[in-house]
Amino acid sequence: MILLSVSRTQGRRLGVAAAAGGLLAALLTAAPAAAIPDPGDSPASGKEVSRSAQAEAREAVRSGEIPGQDEIVHSGNIRHVANIPKDALPGTNSDLAFQGRYAFAGNYDGFRIFDISNPKAPKTVAQVLCPGSQNDISVSGDLLFLSTDSSRSDSSCNSTTQPATEKSSWEGIKVFDVSDKHNPRYVAAVETACGSHTHTLVPERRNVYIYVSSYSPNAAYPDCQPPHDGISVIKVPRKAPHKAALVGFPVLFPGEGPDGGGNPGGPTNPGVAKTTGCHDITVLPSKDLAAGACMGDGILFSIKDPERPEVIDRVQDNVNFAFWHSATFNQKANKVVFTDELGGGGGATCNAEIGPNRGADGIYDIVGTGDRQKLVFRSYFKIPRHQADTENCVAHNGSLIPVKGKDLMVQAWYQGGVSVWDFTDSSKPKEIAYFERGPLSTERIITGGSWSAYYYNGYIYSNDIAKGFDVLRIDDRRTDPARRVHLRELNVQTQPDYFD
């Protein structure tokens, strides 16, 4: 593996010729990745691109315009300090959570626990086989939670795939006791409508509430009926997690008709996902606020009563946003960054043809107070390095880097790598650091790259779909103050008050 420190400009021209014609139209009208009955437990085998795109990718590698396969490039202020390849769990790596000296890494085949007391040499503590995409993961105290979003024969870790058209099929939340990190113990499961694509914790002293995001109902699915216009809420007693239970399904998009009142999508809004639930929710408990990325809508809502969240404001972007995927508050709770997962995460959208405003972040200011707060659009941000048309790349999961008075974020972009950027001026965001690998292939789009990139206690941790668990260190005067902030626990979608 070759480590390089290079600088590349925004003028990188990859994708202009190859994306001409049908590719752009296909990306803009294609449906995003959805909660289908059984998306499988391993990455897609890939799809070939045009000969011109292949030739362009090979020439870009030959000329040094993009890194070659298995080659790493990064800005001068980032160092790659460790990589732990995938081991007993060969499926797609997904999200990350942290507690003390441990990192918890989701995988479509289960989850892995790392000891990161020495970030330069992480050690595997446990690997748990429990298939069920996408195994979105979080921890709170002695409890670990996994999202299952593929139809299974039952709720056990020995289940097999089964059609969602069968009433006996199961999808939802699994609960583990991880008081002994070396021996996690499965203690409970709660079935939820349309499964659990992602989930978000709202922790209290005695209970943990879980907001379950799922979508894509179908009249043929007994446990996923339209309209699916809200979220499932689960209550888990800390001292009796086996009593975890569904306590409600608050409707976030009330309206007439079979699909509720969310964004109707196409043909009314061509290229935009129809809202049939939420993809991801981020809560800021210290402010009693939550932000929802809900397919065709972005929402701001109050969680003063965690069992009965109430929508405060709702926005759409029917020009540039195809699929509202995730959300991040800044520390002052006067901004929200929403991501657009154009192409569902499997497309090559970081090229010149797609441009800087699609498959990007949308930065919104929060203005007003209380229940009169409003989301006001300010700008888009997208990584400035164009990727080859064989690289899946789009805005994905990231977290704040806690520096008082600044709005800094680290973010995953699949094969676009890891980007650190500054949105202190919400109208003029800018990248300040990056790390990326060359394409997995110059002939096919093979799903890979960083799924999640999060800052935790002085280091950046990235779960790469194909390459495993990466640890990065950023040395920059703008981010250095964050090293003084140490957390005991971090679930990124449950944002802490870093400076309380």
Side-chain angles (χ1 to χ4, degrees):
M1 186 173 292
I2 303 170
L3 285 174
L4 298 175
S5 178
V6 300
S7 176
R8 292 182 298 202
T9 68
Q10 294 188 19
R12 209 164 133 181
R13 299 181 59 188
L14 277 170
V16 177
L23 176 61
L24 177 62
L27 278 171
L28 301 190
T29 58
I36 57 178
D38 179 21
D41 296 333
S42 60
S45 59
K47 57 184 178 181
E48 288 199 16
V49 298
S50 67
R51 290 186 178 181
S52 60
Q54 292 177 13
E56 186 175 339
R58 288 193 295 269
E59 173 57 26
V61 170
R62 188 199 64 78
S63 66
E65 193 174 358
I66 65 173
Q69 290 175 258
D70 288 328
E71 182 182 359
I72 290 174
V73 295
H74 55 83
S75 55
N77 54 356
I78 272 188
R79 289 183 288 128
H80 188 208
V81 300
N83 171 263
I84 308 298
K86 291 197 288 188
D87 189 9
L89 304 176
T92 298
N93 278 338
S94 58
D95 214 357
L96 294 168
F98 305 89
Q99 186 182 78
R101 61 188 176 96
Y102 298 101
F104 304 81
N107 179 285
Y108 277 38
D109 287 332
F111 65 92
R112 191 172 181 179
I113 303 177
F114 294 99
D115 182 335
I116 56 171
S117 53
N118 178 3
K120 297 179 181 179
K123 296 178 181 178
T124 299
V125 172
Q127 297 190 74
V128 176
L129 179 64
C130 195
S133 71
Q134 55 186 11
N135 277 339
D136 190 48
I137 193 166
S138 59
V139 294
S140 184
D142 290 337
L143 302 178
L144 179 147
F145 306 93
L146 281 183
S147 284
T148 300
D149 193 34
S150 60
S151 268
R152 314 296 300 182
S153 55
D154 55 58
S155 63
S156 76
C157 286
N158 297 317
S159 66
T160 58
T161 59
Q162 181 169 291
T165 51
E166 296 188 23
K167 176 61 179 173
S168 63
S169 294
W170 185 91
E171 300 179 69
I173 289 286
K174 295 169 181 170
V175 185
F176 291 78
D177 183 323
V178 289
S179 53
D180 180 352
K181 303 298 187 292
H182 294 267
N183 295 288
R185 184 169 56 89
Y186 187 9
V187 295
V190 180
E191 186 172 15
T192 55
C194 301
S196 174
H197 195 68
T198 67
H199 68 268
T200 304
L201 303 187
V202 186
E204 294 186 332
R205 180 170 297 178
R206 295 182 178 179
N207 304 296
V208 180
Y209 286 96
I210 307 174
Y211 290 168
V212 176
S213 295
S214 55
Y215 53 97
S216 291
N218 190 305
Y221 303 160
D223 298 320
C224 185
Q225 292 284 299
H228 184 72
D229 48 10
I231 59 174
S232 298
V233 179
I234 294 172
K235 183 178 180 180
V236 185
R238 290 188 185 277
K239 293 185 177 180
H242 61 282
K243 294 182 179 180
L246 187 70
V247 293
F249 186 86
V251 173
L252 302 178
F253 301 97
E256 301 296 329
D259 299 317
N263 195 320
T268 303
N269 298 316
V272 177
K274 178 171 68 174
T275 298
T276 58
C278 290
H279 180 278
D280 210 345
I281 291 169
T282 293
V283 298
L284 192 57
S286 64
K287 305 291 185 183
D288 289 328
L289 282 177
C294 302
M295 304 181 73
D297 294 89
I299 60 174
L300 182 70
F301 54 103
S302 168
I303 57 169
K304 290 179 182 177
D305 181 345
E307 292 189 24
R308 298 172 181 82
E310 296 183 359
V311 175
I312 297 171
D313 194 27
R314 167 183 164 194
V315 291
Q316 297 178 355
D317 181 346
N318 295 320
V319 175
N320 287 315
F321 258 51
F323 188 83
W324 296 68
H325 175 275
S326 53
T328 303
F329 286 101
N330 71 334
Q331 181 58 39
K332 291 183 178 180
N334 60 8
K335 298 174 190 173
V336 180
V337 174
F338 289 104
T339 67
D340 171 25
E341 196 182 42
L342 172 67
T349 72
C350 296
N351 54 35
E353 186 70 17
I354 298 299
N357 297 337
R358 296 189 63 84
D361 297 318
I363 305 167
Y364 286 75
D365 284 353
I366 302 174
V367 300
T369 58
D371 292 344
R372 295 184 178 181
Q373 293 178 94
K374 297 290 182 183
L375 294 164
V376 179
F377 174 76
R378 293 302 185 203
S379 65
Y380 298 106
F381 171 78
K382 193 171 183 179
I383 56 173
R385 297 168 311 287
H386 294 144
Q387 307 296 306
D389 282 340
T390 58
E391 295 179 276
N392 62 300
C393 174
V394 76
H396 215 236
N397 294 353
S399 76
L400 292 184
I401 297 178
V403 175
K404 187 173 288 189
K406 297 289 184 181
D407 295 323
L408 305 174
M409 186 171 172
V410 58
Q411 186 175 2
W413 290 79
Y414 288 115
Q415 286 195 68
V418 175
S419 175
V420 179
W421 58 289
D422 184 334
F423 63 104
T424 306
D425 182 342
S426 54
S427 296
K428 296 179 180 179
K430 59 183 179 181
E431 184 176 77
I432 62 174
Y434 70 89
F435 165 91
E436 67 168 285
R437 289 182 168 90
L440 290 172
S441 171
T442 57
E443 296 181 352
R444 304 168 63 84
I445 292 183
I446 299 175
T447 301
S450 179
W451 177 292
S452 298
Y454 299 147
Y455 185 93
Y456 178 70
N457 294 353
Y459 288 83
I460 293 169
Y461 297 89
S462 168
N463 213 17
D464 188 289
I465 291 170
K467 297 296 184 179
F469 183 69
D470 287 309
V471 185
L472 311 174
R473 182 176 173 91
I474 182 167
D475 294 294
D476 189 290
R477 59 179 176 78
R478 292 164 289 191
T479 60
D480 287 348
R483 294 178 191 165
R484 296 193 290 267
V485 179
H486 275 252
L487 302 176
R488 289 178 291 182
E489 192 170 274
L490 178 63
N491 300 290
V492 166
Q493 287 74 35
T494 304
Q495 287 190 221
D497 189 337
Y498 289 101
F499 305 110
D500 184 17

